[in-house]
Amino acid sequence: MESQTELNRLRVRERDRLAQLLPELMGALRSVIAEVYQDGALSTKVKRLMSLALALGAGCRNCVLAQTEYALETGATREEILETLSVVISMRGTTGVAESLRVVQFLEERGIL
């Protein structure tokens, strides 16, 4: 089984490389992201959990890893992440289960599960 922690490390490396290749574009994107994820009517943590659910629904491996990492950084608990997975599974069935396994493995590798 591939390490989700290693995949996440590679994701960050390649994202940073892309930022060097396309600094203006990635700078603009980072500005939009910084604006969107500020606390507002919804907290940053809730927005990151929502983004995790969307990433799981889209089946985007890099997005799933990034949003799991960001959710943890904003203080999301194990229980909140697992509850997010349960919503995805209720909406997507077996494909939700399949995608959620990546998050479970990532949390296990980090000692959270």
Side-chain angles (χ1 to χ4, degrees), residues 27-44 47-48:
L29 179 59
R30 285 184 174 154
S31 293
V32 169
I33 290 169
E35 180 68 27
V36 167
Y37 286 98
Q38 289 184 43
D39 280 334
L42 298 172
S43 69
T44 301
K47 291 176 184 182
R48 289 299 183 181

Side-chain angles (χ1 to χ4, degrees), residues 8-80:
N8 192 50
R9 187 188 67 72
L10 294 172
R11 176 195 64 80
V12 170
R13 184 186 76 195
E14 293 304 310
R15 180 206 59 203
D16 292 346
R17 185 171 147 217
L18 187 59
Q20 291 175 345
L21 296 169
L22 299 168
E24 291 161 9
L25 176 65
M26 294 302 287
L29 179 59
R30 285 184 174 154
S31 293
V32 169
I33 290 169
E35 180 68 27
V36 167
Y37 286 98
Q38 289 184 43
D39 280 334
L42 298 172
S43 69
T44 301
K45 179 175 72 172
V46 167
K47 291 176 184 182
R48 289 299 183 181
L49 291 168
M50 290 170 62
S51 294
L52 174 58
L54 287 165
L56 287 161
C60 174
R61 178 182 74 187
N62 284 340
C63 302
V64 168
L65 293 170
Q67 295 306 325
T68 302
E69 183 77 26
Y70 295 143
L72 290 168
E73 288 174 3
T74 61
T77 65
R78 156 196 165 143
E79 290 76 18
E80 289 168 327

